[in-house]
Amino acid sequence: METFQRLKQIAEANREGFTVSLLDYSTPKKGYCVAMQLTQDSFGDEGLRKVIEIAEQSTFTVGGWYDYQSNQYYYDCVMIVQDLEEALQLGRANHQLAIFDITKARTIEL
């Protein structure tokens, strides 16, 4: 199954959000998830294709979540960072509103 279809299935099964490696479709167990500004506002099929293309050339990690207000699924190419301070700096540098603590499953607003 191609990457696009696999990620669509993962997204449908995880509307509250997901983060997976494109290498083996595993979910990181620890660290901080920081979205790249380059893929900000990537939604729907077109957005997912863009995110996959960028992820395949950089982090090999994709995240997504369903926005119930707009009825759209948002996708991001993400960086997994182990150090909180580094993650906070990268989040601000990428103009993010928040980062996600994978270990504690919580959002950290910036």
Side-chain angles (χ1 to χ4, degrees):
M1 176 183 304
E2 76 172 278
T3 301
F4 176 81
Q5 289 300 329
R6 184 95 182 248
L7 288 175
K8 288 279 287 189
Q9 287 181 342
I10 291 169
E12 281 301 313
N14 297 280
R15 287 192 162 230
E16 297 306 314
F18 72 91
T19 304
V20 296
S21 166
L22 295 183
L23 301 176
D24 60 6
Y25 300 99
S26 66
T27 299
K29 303 293 184 219
K30 63 180 183 172
Y32 303 93
C33 186
V34 182
M36 294 176 65
Q37 181 180 4
L38 185 59
T39 59
Q40 203 167 32
D41 296 325
S42 295
F43 50 87
D45 289 355
E46 182 180 325
L48 179 55
R49 284 186 178 90
K50 172 185 174 182
V51 167
I52 291 169
E53 182 179 325
I54 292 168
E56 287 176 338
Q57 298 172 27
S58 58
T59 67
F60 292 96
T61 307
V62 171
W65 58 281
Y66 188 77
D67 179 23
Y68 290 94
Q69 290 182 328
S70 68
N71 292 320
Q72 296 191 82
Y73 215 103
Y74 282 78
Y75 300 97
D76 289 296
C77 179
V78 298
M79 299 170 274
I80 305 300
V81 180
Q82 299 306 315
D83 179 73
L84 175 58
E85 286 306 313
E86 181 183 359
L88 293 169
Q89 289 175 1
L90 282 170
R92 289 183 190 104
N94 280 275
H95 304 283
Q96 298 302 308
L97 299 176
I99 61 173
F100 188 75
D101 181 340
I102 297 168
T103 309
K104 296 180 181 176
R106 67 182 178 106
T107 301
I108 301 171
E109 293 185 14
L110 300 178

